[in-house]
Each structure stands twice: as structure tokens, then as C-alpha cells.
């Protein structure tokens, strides 16, 4: 079959345009990672062992021009990337693309700010370009753009839950009405004025200050508990969960719509590839199978043409092999129609399913019988039971030795127990290798996991015997110069506990949970990217607002050998405050403030940060922390929960009638398209042709 160069290039262009599986150049991703990482090095630098201002040494800031040189190289790469993209799509398409226009604006602002920074010898207070760096991550990820659009469409529905704020205001008014004239200092700590009362109730909504906020009033009159219990039940358990349900429902609806759009784009790409590959002129003996006659409605594409194109398209090898295998099934006919051509690309929704090599062949009847026994599933079940018994023995010995000193512990008994189990693990590994062969044994991930840990356990056990039972039989094991006997035994115990994880694939529910987690790690990169962007932006803003505002009182500088008792002896604080809890390392003095943001996202004791920063700065600082709580804990965490629910429910429904061994295969066939397959509407042929004829880069006829 002969192909023109223009035909091949057009097919490649159409496929690459519509299929999202082709990733960006790795160099561009590395450039984005480098420019984002500069925040840890440039002023204020995070290059210190501790973030605690009491023991932290002065920040080491790189000389002016070091990070700036790296940054300008990254910006020039972005300029080149923008130039290439604008050249490929043309000026008309460039003007319509908002992301590329913003890309150009961000690069321009970053370069201008970089020039100002260099001209001021890196002594500027604010680096505005730091706030725009996460845009490079967003702009170069189509999945992040979709996720961001999804979040954008979900926000109005979240804002519509105004009942949450009405509930807050209502209970605040009720509190003012029922407030007792009797007050004490602790009561005034939470409700001394309107802003403080609003903050206290907002924190109570997250249960972080419960029951502390209730105790002063409850100590005066037990009837006050009705107010706080009603507030928590309505706000925390009803309205907040209702908000989660709304976010889940809205996000799932938009995710379905996004998948529908992706399916249409994929069908367009496949249809465009089919149209281009349709033979226009072939040799005479192929005319009957490949020539498209104007009067014939059924079009065909030659199998050889598809196979030739697949050798030139850049994609993962197992995708190429799977598509080629499906195409070769039509080789006896020599051509495929539109539907057959479309179905071969369904392999793009599936991950690679690893084929295990055949079992070794033995001539002896005895060896064949042993191979059948040792390859049986019951051997794995028995091995799991042995692993469970091993963990139970370890727990029992640890409980018995918990109150004993290191010298009094019976390490010899633990050694003997572990040695017996290790010998069984070695026997199990040997018989599996005998039954499956080396290649067959290594083709299973569980076997690799078991084998590595078994060998490591054996090495450590031999080391214990050689070190303490042969060379140093008279020496105290607890005082060994390199590593004590008890520490080596603890190492073996930890390895044995890790080895017990082998049971996960053999229990249906645990395998389902594990496969869900693995699938989340694979498919939630867009969410992780959005979270990186949000953390980055809030960390930069936090540094601008609060850098250096929290300073420990004079005389609290820590030395390496200073104890906490000596530090706090001359410094007293109220219980539960930032200072009393020792939260000094959580600050905005450098970019490592992302740890503080994480602590607030968890919402445990986040009222301590609200109180501290309002005391060290102004009460308006609470707006920053409340905005971060709404963005991270309320918005992002609920979106994350929504995806987990969707993924798990889908897997649960599919695996409800599956065996344990089938659960492992489910994760190989999971994609967002398959999750919504039953709800996706396939575009009609007329819709596809209409959009193809309107495409600016494809000039199709007929």
C-alpha cells in the first residue's frame, strides 16, 4: 500500500489533536517544576534545619543573580513554547484562545518584574511574578483546565447555600438574646465582642474548639448546652454535610459533561483519521476493497493503511500493540468500516494487562503433582495464615517486653520465633519458584514483594547470628557499637509487619480499596495540580502579609541542648494558645509555610492560629485563614471526597459479582470514560461530519 507524505502527516496531526493521551514534552514539565521550586531557595529561603524562630539560624539567601539566572532561562523556554504554539495554530485561533493570551500576559509580567528585581539588586520587597508561577502548571495541563472549569461551575451552587450563613447569624442573635449578665474572664475570651463571637461560632462549626467554647456558659447554667448542641447538629451535621452533597452532585454532573465532551473530541479525531485514511487512489487490484465510490454510503479503510500509520504515531508501546492486534483481526478481509475502525481505539481506555509466562513442564509424575500442589491457591491462603500468626506472635512478645528494660528483654526467644517463620517464608518462595519458574514467579508483583522481604529478613537474621552468637558471644548486645541486638530485632519485626500486607490482594474488599487508592494516585494528578496551585498562591500571599510578624519573647532563643522546662520557666501563657502549644515552627517566615496551611486545612486547633495572628497583627488577618479554610477544607476536600465516592462506587458495583482474582483486573480497565460509559451519549454521524467540515485545519471533501 502506498501513502503520500501529506496523507500521513494529516493523519498524525488529526490524531494528536484529538487524543489526550499524548503528554507534553518532558522538558517543559521539568521547567515548570524548576521554576516552582525556586520559592524554597530565593528570599526568604527555606534552607534551614528548623523553622522554629527560637532555634533557627539566620536565613541563607543565595547571591543576587543565582536564582534569577535560572528563572530567566525558564521564562525563555516558556516564551519559545508560546511562540511555537501560536505559530502552529495561527493568529486567528490564537486570539480566540484565552489561555494562550493569559499565557502571554503572565510571561510578560514575569519578565518585567524580573527586570525590576535585577535592577534593584534583588532588594525588592515583593516579587509579583511568584504569584503567577502556578499559572504555568495550569496552562500546560488540559485536565487541570477541565478541573478548574468544573470548580468554577460548582462555585455558584456552593454560594447558593446561604442557609449556612443564615444559620450562623440566627444562632448569633439567639445567643445575644439569651446571654446571661453574669460573666467571667473565660466567657469573655470567646464572646467578648461581635467579631470574636462570629469567629468562635465559625470554629465551633468545625468542632475544633468543642467543648471548650461551651464550658463557661455550661458551668453557669446547664440549659446553655441546648444552644451549642443545636448549633452543632444543624450546622456541622446537617448543613455542612448538605454542602458536601451539593458539591458532589454538581461536580459529578459537570464531570459527566466533561467526559461527554472528551468522547466527542475522541470520536471526531477517529472520524477525521478514518476520513483521511480512506483510499483515494490505489492499485487496480485493491480498488474493490478500498476505493470510495461517490454513490456508495459505506466507506472503508485498508487494514494495511492503519498498521502503517500506527507504526508512525507516537504513543505507548502497549497501546500501539493492542490497537494493531485489533486491526489485524480484519486482515483476512483487508479493510474496515467506520464502526470497526472506531472500536479498535477502545483499547485506549484500558491499561496494560500483564500476561504471565507459561508454567515450566516437568516429565516426572511426582514433580508434576508437586507443581500442581505448590501452584494451588490454597498455598497462598496458608501463607497468609502463617503471616498473621507471625504478626500475632510479635505483638504478644512486644506486649510482654513492654515494661522491661532493653537488657531484660528476652531477645533469644524473639530470634527463634522469627527464624522459624523466616525459614517457612524461604520454603514458600522456593516452592513457588519451582512451580511457576523464575520468570513466572517474577511476573507477579506480590511474589516480588514477598521475595525481596524474605531475602532481606534472612540477611538480617544471619547478621544477628554472626554478630552476636559467634563473634561477640560475651558482649552485652544492648551496648554494641554499631547497632544493638534489640534494634536489629525491631528491624526484623517491622519487615515482617510490612510483609503481612501481602494479604491485601487476596481479600476482596481490601483489594477493592487498594485498587481504588492506586487508581486515585493515577487519575487524580489534575486535582493534585490544582491543590499545588492553591497552596502555592496562599503561601506566597501569606509570606507577603505575615513574614516575621511572630517573634518569640526576648530570652526564649533555644540552644541545641536546652530543655523545654528551662525555656518556659520564665514565660507563662494562657492554655491552648499558640505560644502555650508550642506552635512557633508554624509561621510564614519562608515558603515552608505550606506546612502551616496544611495544619489549618486539617482544622484541628486552627483557632490557635486565628487568635495568634490577630494578636500579632490585626483582626483582619482572620479573613485570610477563613478564606483558606473555605478553599481547602470546604471546597477541595469535598471535591476529593466526591471523586473517591464516584470511583469506589463504580468499582464496587462492577466487583459485586466478581471473584477476588477479578478485582485486581478491574483497575486495569478503569478510566473516566468507562466510569460514565452507561450515561454517555455517542455523537451521530451527521454531528461528526458537520464539525469536521467546520474544522479550521482539516479540509475534507465528500
Amino acid at each position: 500500500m502506498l501513502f503520500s507524505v501529506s496523507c500521513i502527516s494529516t493523519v498524525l496531526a488529526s490524531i494528536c489533536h484529538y487524543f489526550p493521551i499524548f503528554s507534553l514534552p518532558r522538558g517543559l514539565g521539568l521547567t515548570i517544576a524548576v521554576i516552582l521550586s525556586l520559592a524554597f531557595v530565593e528570599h526568604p529561603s527555606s534552607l534551614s534545619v528548623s523553622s522554629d524562630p527560637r532555634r533557627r539560624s539566620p536565613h541563607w539567601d543565595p547571591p543576587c543573580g543565582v536564582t534569577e539566572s535560572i528563572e530567566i532561562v525558564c521564562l525563555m523556554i516558556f516564551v519559545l513554547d508560546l511562540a511555537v504554539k501560536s505559530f502552529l495554530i495561527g493568529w486567528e485561533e490564537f486570539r480566540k484562545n484565552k489561555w494562550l493570551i493569559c499565557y502571554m500576559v503572565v510571561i510578560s509580567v514575569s519578565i518585567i518584574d524580573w527586570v525590576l528585581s535585577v535592577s534593584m539588586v534583588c532588594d525588592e520587597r515583593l516579587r509579583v511574578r511568584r504569584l503567577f508561577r502556578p499559572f504555568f502548571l495550569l496552562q500546560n495541563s488540559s485536565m487541570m483546565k477541565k478541573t478548574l472549569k468544573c470548580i468554577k461551575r460548582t462555585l455558584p451552587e456552593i454560594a447558593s447555600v446561604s442557609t449556612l450563613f443564615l444559620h450562623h447569624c440566627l444562632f448569633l442573635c439567639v445567643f445575644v438574646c439569651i446571654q446571661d449578665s453574669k460573666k467571667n474572664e473565660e466567657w469573655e475570651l470567646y464572646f467578648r465582642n461581635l467579631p470574636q463571637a462570629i469567629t468562635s461560632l465559625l470554629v465551633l462549626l468545625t468542632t475544633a474548639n468543642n467543648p471548650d467554647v461551651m464550658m463557661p456558659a455550661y458551668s453557669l447554667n446547664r440549659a446553655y448546652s441546648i444552644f451549642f448542641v443545636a448549633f452543632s447538629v444543624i450546622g456541622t451535621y446537617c448543613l455542612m454535610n448538605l454542602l458536601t452533597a451539593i458539591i458532589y452532585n454538581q461536580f459529578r454532573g459537570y464531570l459527566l459533561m466533561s467526559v461527554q465532551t472528551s468522547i466527542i473530541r475522541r470520536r471526531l479525531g477517529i472520524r477525521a483519521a478514518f476520513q483521511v485514511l480512506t483510499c483515494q487512489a490505489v492499485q487496480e487490484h485493491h480498488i474493490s476493497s478500498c476505493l470510495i465510490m461517490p454513490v456508495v454510503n459505506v466507506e472503508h479503510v485498508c487494514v494495511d493503511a492503519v498498521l502503517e500509520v500506527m507504526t508512525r504515531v507516537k504513543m505507548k508501546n502497549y497501546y500501539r500493540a493492542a490497537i494493531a492486534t485489533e486491526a489485524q483481526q480484519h486482515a483476512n478481509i483487508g479493510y474496515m468500516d467506520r464502526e470497526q475502525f472506531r472500536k479498535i481505539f477502545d483499547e485506549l481506555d484500558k491499561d496494560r494487562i500483564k500476561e504471565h509466562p507459561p508454567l515450566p513442564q516437568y516429565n516426572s509424575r511426582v514433580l508434576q503433582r508437586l507443581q500442581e500442589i505448590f501452584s494451588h491457591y490454597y498455598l497462598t491462603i496458608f501463607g497468609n495464615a502463617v503471616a498473621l500468626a507471625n504478626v500475632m506472635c510479635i505483638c504478644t512478645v512486644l506486649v510482654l517486653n513492654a515494661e522491661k528494660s532493653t537488657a531484660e528483654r528476652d531477645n533469644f526467644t524473639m530470634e527463634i520465633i522469627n527464624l522459624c517463620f523466616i525459614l517457612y517464608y524461604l520454603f514458600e518462595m522456593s516452592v513457588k519458584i519451582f512451580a511457576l519458574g523464575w520468570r513466572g514467579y517474577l511476573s507477579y508483583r506480590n511474589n516480588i514483594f514477598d521475595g525481596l522481604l524474605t531475602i532481606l529478613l534472612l540477611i538480617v537474621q544471619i547478621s544477628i547470628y554472626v554478630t552476636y552468637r559467634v563473634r561477640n558471644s560475651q558482649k552485652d548486645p544492648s551496648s554494641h557499637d554499631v547497632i544493638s541486638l534489640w534494634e536489629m530485632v525491631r528491624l526484623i519485626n517491622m519487615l515482617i509487619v510490612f510483609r503481612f500486607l501481602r494479604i491485601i490482594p487476596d481479600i476482596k474488599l481490601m483489594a477493592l480499596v487498594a485498587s481504588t487508592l492506586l487508581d486515585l494516585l493515577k487519575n487524580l494528578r489534575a486535582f493534585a495540580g490544582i491543590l499545588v496551585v492553591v497552596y502555592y498562591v496562599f503561601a506566597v500571599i501569606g509570606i507577603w502579609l505575615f513574614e516575621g510578624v511572630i517573634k518569640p519573647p526576648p530570652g526564649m532563643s533555644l540552644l541545641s541542648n536546652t530543655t523545654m522546662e528551662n525555656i518556659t520557666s520564665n514565660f507563662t501563657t494562657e492554655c491552648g494558645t499558640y505560644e502555650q502549644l508550642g506552635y512557633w515552627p508554624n509561621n510564614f517566615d519562608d515558603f515552608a509555610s505550606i506546612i502551616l496551611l496544611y495544619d489549618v486545612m486539617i482544622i484541628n486547633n486552627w483557632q490557635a492560629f486565628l487568635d495568634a495572628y490577630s494578636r500579632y497583627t490585626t483582626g483582619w488577618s482572620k479573613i485570610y485563614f477563613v478564606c483558606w479554610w473555605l478553599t481547602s477544607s470546604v471546597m477541595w476536600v469535598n471535591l476529593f471526597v466526591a471523586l473517591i465516592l464516584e470511583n469506589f462506587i463504580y468499582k464496587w458495583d462492577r466487583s459485586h459479582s466478581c471473584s477476588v482474582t477479578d478485582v485486581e483486573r478491574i483497575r486495569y480497565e478503569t478510566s473516566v470514560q468507562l466510569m460514565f460509559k452507561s450515561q454517555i451519549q455517542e455523537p451521530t454521524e451527521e454531528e461528526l461530519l458537520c464539525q469536521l467540515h467546520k474544522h479550521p485545519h482539516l479540509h475534507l471533501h465528500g
Side-chain angles (χ1 to χ4, degrees):
M1 177 67 64
L2 300 177
F3 296 94
S4 65
V5 177
S6 60
C7 178
I8 292 296
S9 62
T10 306
V11 172
L12 295 179
S14 62
I15 293 179
C16 291
H17 177 76
Y18 284 109
F19 288 148
I21 64 171
F22 305 104
S23 59
L24 293 165
R26 294 184 179 179
L28 190 59
L30 179 62
T31 304
I32 295 172
V34 169
I35 198 171
L36 290 178
S37 301
L38 288 178
F40 291 98
V41 181
E42 58 192 9
H43 180 81
S45 172
S46 302
L47 300 180
S48 60
V49 176
S50 174
S51 61
D52 193 329
R54 299 171 298 174
R55 60 159 53 98
R56 183 181 58 211
S57 58
H59 284 290
W60 177 86
D61 292 325
C64 182
V66 176
T67 59
E68 286 75 16
S69 300
I70 299 174
E71 186 176 14
I72 195 61
V73 172
C74 295
L75 291 175
M76 289 300 103
I77 294 176
F78 293 138
V79 170
L80 179 61
D81 177 58
L82 176 64
V84 171
K85 289 178 178 177
S86 60
F87 172 76
L88 291 177
I89 67 174
W91 175 246
E92 293 297 327
E93 290 295 321
F94 179 83
R95 291 191 304 174
K96 299 177 183 177
N97 195 313
K98 296 180 181 179
W99 280 99
L100 288 181
I101 293 176
C102 293
Y103 195 17
M104 179 180 65
V105 172
V106 169
I107 292 176
S108 302
V109 172
S110 299
I111 293 177
I112 294 173
D113 190 60
W114 181 89
V115 173
L116 293 175
S117 178
V118 173
S119 63
M120 298 174 65
V121 199
C122 311
D123 196 29
E124 78 282 12
R125 170 62 179 167
L126 297 179
R127 296 192 178 190
V128 179
R129 61 187 183 276
R130 296 180 70 182
L131 196 62
F132 294 102
R133 287 174 184 170
F135 178 83
F136 299 126
L137 183 63
L138 285 176
Q139 199 279 329
N140 290 284
S141 173
S142 59
M143 284 302 299
M144 287 187 195
K145 293 176 184 177
K146 291 181 181 179
T147 306
L148 195 63
K149 189 182 295 184
C150 168
I151 296 174
K152 177 183 175 182
R153 298 200 179 189
T154 307
L155 283 176
E157 297 297 330
I158 298 175
S160 66
V161 191
S162 56
T163 53
L164 187 62
F165 301 99
L166 292 177
H167 151 269
H168 204 84
C169 297
L170 175 64
F171 273 83
L172 187 60
C173 295
V174 172
F175 161 76
V176 173
C177 294
I178 66 173
Q179 181 180 3
D180 199 308
S181 57
K182 298 179 181 180
K183 297 182 179 179
N184 54 39
E185 294 180 358
E186 192 175 7
W187 177 260
E188 292 180 354
L189 178 65
Y190 297 106
F191 300 100
R192 62 178 176 269
N193 52 45
L194 183 61
Q196 186 64 32
I198 294 175
T199 303
S200 298
L201 289 181
L202 182 64
V203 175
L204 180 60
L205 197 64
T206 64
T207 69
N209 61 353
N210 184 68
D212 298 348
V213 70
M214 182 182 71
M215 287 298 103
Y218 187 59
S219 63
L220 296 176
N221 191 329
R222 67 177 71 236
Y224 277 114
S225 61
I226 300 175
F227 169 83
F228 292 99
V229 171
F231 178 86
S232 298
V233 169
I234 297 175
T236 305
Y237 296 105
C238 295
L239 294 180
M240 291 298 291
N241 287 326
L242 179 62
L243 182 62
T244 302
I246 291 175
I247 292 176
Y248 170 72
N249 186 63
Q250 288 298 120
F251 183 80
R252 188 181 186 278
Y254 178 72
L255 187 60
L256 175 60
M257 185 176 63
S258 178
V259 171
Q260 181 72 55
T261 304
S262 299
I263 287 293
I264 293 177
R265 292 180 61 199
R266 171 173 291 188
R267 297 295 180 257
L268 279 171
I270 296 173
R271 187 64 180 85
F274 178 83
Q275 188 72 22
V276 174
L277 279 173
T278 302
C279 300
Q280 302 296 331
V282 294
Q283 298 178 1
E284 293 184 359
H285 63 278
H286 286 139
I287 290 179
S288 60
S289 62
C290 294
L291 183 60
I292 303 177
M293 303 302 295
V295 296
V296 179
N297 292 328
V298 180
E299 298 176 341
H300 301 96
V301 64
C302 291
V303 174
D304 293 340
V306 177
L307 296 176
E308 177 68 18
V309 171
M310 293 310 302
T311 60
R312 305 192 183 194
V313 174
K314 183 181 178 181
M315 64 169 58
K316 294 181 179 179
N317 291 331
Y318 56 85
Y319 281 138
R320 181 185 292 108
I323 294 173
T325 301
E326 291 294 320
Q328 287 173 352
Q329 294 182 1
H330 306 279
N332 56 341
I333 302 177
Y335 61 85
M336 291 183 289
D337 58 25
R338 286 195 302 267
E339 186 63 21
Q340 293 169 338
F341 182 78
R342 183 191 66 79
K343 285 184 177 180
I344 66 173
F345 289 98
D346 288 343
E347 298 298 318
L348 296 173
D349 288 333
K350 302 177 183 179
D351 210 338
R352 176 172 52 180
I353 299 179
K354 190 173 183 180
E355 297 292 338
H356 301 291
L359 299 178
Q361 301 294 326
Y362 297 104
N363 296 325
S364 172
R365 299 276 303 201
V366 176
L367 295 180
Q368 291 177 1
R369 182 58 181 167
L370 289 176
Q371 182 184 32
E372 181 180 352
I373 294 174
F374 293 143
S375 61
H376 200 279
Y377 180 67
Y378 287 146
L379 179 67
T380 302
I381 296 179
F382 182 76
N384 293 338
V386 172
L388 177 61
N390 194 356
V391 172
M392 293 178 64
C393 289
I394 290 175
C395 294
T396 302
V397 174
L398 290 177
V399 170
L400 295 176
N401 291 335
E403 302 298 329
K404 299 179 181 178
S405 64
T406 303
E408 296 174 342
R409 288 168 181 165
D410 187 5
N411 295 320
F412 182 75
T413 303
M414 180 73 78
E415 289 180 62
I416 296 300
I417 294 174
N418 287 340
L419 180 61
C420 294
F421 283 105
I422 291 172
L423 290 177
Y424 171 78
Y425 298 150
L426 189 63
F427 166 77
E428 183 185 38
M429 183 179 70
S430 302
V431 298
K432 284 187 176 181
I433 294 174
F434 163 78
L436 304 176
W438 276 105
R439 293 180 58 195
Y441 180 84
L442 296 177
S443 65
Y444 292 90
R445 295 179 181 178
N446 294 341
N447 290 341
I448 297 176
F449 178 76
D450 289 348
L452 289 176
L453 287 182
T454 299
I455 295 174
L456 190 58
L457 285 169
L458 185 62
I459 292 174
V460 176
Q461 190 68 39
I462 293 175
S463 301
I464 290 176
Y465 179 78
V466 173
T467 303
Y468 295 101
R469 303 304 175 192
V470 178
R471 293 171 50 194
N472 299 310
S473 57
Q474 303 299 323
K475 193 170 182 179
D476 183 10
S478 62
S479 60
H480 195 265
D481 296 334
V482 181
I483 183 172
S484 67
L485 173 61
W486 176 244
E487 290 173 342
M488 298 188 73
V489 172
R490 286 200 305 173
L491 176 60
I492 289 182
N493 293 340
M494 287 189 294
L495 294 175
I496 289 174
V497 172
F498 278 120
R499 194 181 184 280
F500 184 64
L501 296 177
R502 57 173 283 171
I503 70 169
I504 290 178
D506 299 317
I507 300 178
K508 183 176 179 179
L509 183 58
M510 295 182 66
L512 188 63
V513 172
S515 64
T516 302
L517 293 177
L518 292 175
D519 193 62
L520 288 174
L521 293 176
K522 181 176 65 175
N523 294 327
L524 286 186
R525 288 175 296 180
F527 270 89
I530 296 292
L531 188 62
V532 168
V533 170
V534 173
Y535 263 92
Y536 203 100
V537 171
F538 271 87
V540 171
I541 296 176
I543 293 173
W544 290 353
L545 296 176
F546 308 118
E547 180 186 358
V549 298
I550 291 188
K551 295 181 176 63
M556 284 197 67
S557 297
L558 275 177
L559 300 176
S560 58
N561 58 351
T562 305
T563 61
M564 292 303 298
E565 289 79 3
N566 295 331
I567 298 165
T568 59
S569 58
N570 297 322
F571 181 71
T572 58
T573 58
E574 294 181 2
C575 182
T577 59
Y578 179 94
E579 295 84 358
Q580 187 272 330
L581 294 171
Y583 285 173
W584 301 102
N586 286 316
N587 52 64
F588 286 100
D589 292 351
D590 52 57
F591 195 73
S593 57
I594 56 178
I595 302 300
L596 188 154
L597 295 177
Y598 174 78
D599 292 337
V600 176
M601 186 180 75
I602 301 301
I603 68 174
N604 185 38
N605 276 352
W606 72 298
Q607 72 276 8
F609 299 105
L610 287 171
D611 173 68
Y613 279 91
S614 63
R615 285 189 285 107
Y616 282 95
T617 57
T618 66
W620 294 102
S621 62
K622 295 179 181 179
I623 297 177
Y624 172 86
F625 290 97
V626 172
C627 289
W628 170 246
W629 168 69
L630 290 173
T631 303
S632 61
S633 183
V634 176
M635 183 69 188
W636 191 87
V637 171
N638 281 321
L639 288 174
F640 186 71
V641 170
L643 269 201
I644 290 180
L645 288 174
E646 190 64 42
N647 196 299
F648 183 80
I649 291 173
Y650 168 76
K651 288 178 176 291
W652 177 266
D653 291 340
R654 289 198 62 199
S655 65
H656 195 64
S657 58
C658 297
S659 62
V660 174
T661 55
D662 293 331
V663 173
E664 182 69 13
R665 298 175 63 90
I666 290 176
R667 70 181 184 92
Y668 291 112
E669 301 175 354
T670 300
S671 67
V672 180
Q673 284 79 12
L674 285 178
M675 287 172 60
F676 294 97
K677 186 175 181 179
S678 60
Q679 305 173 51
I680 291 175
Q681 296 180 357
E682 290 288 341
T684 63
E685 177 67 13
E686 291 75 14
E687 293 174 345
L688 294 178
L689 288 177
C690 180
Q691 294 193 39
L692 285 178
H693 285 294
K694 295 179 181 178
H695 196 280
H697 304 298
L698 289 177
H699 305 288
L700 304 177
H701 305 283

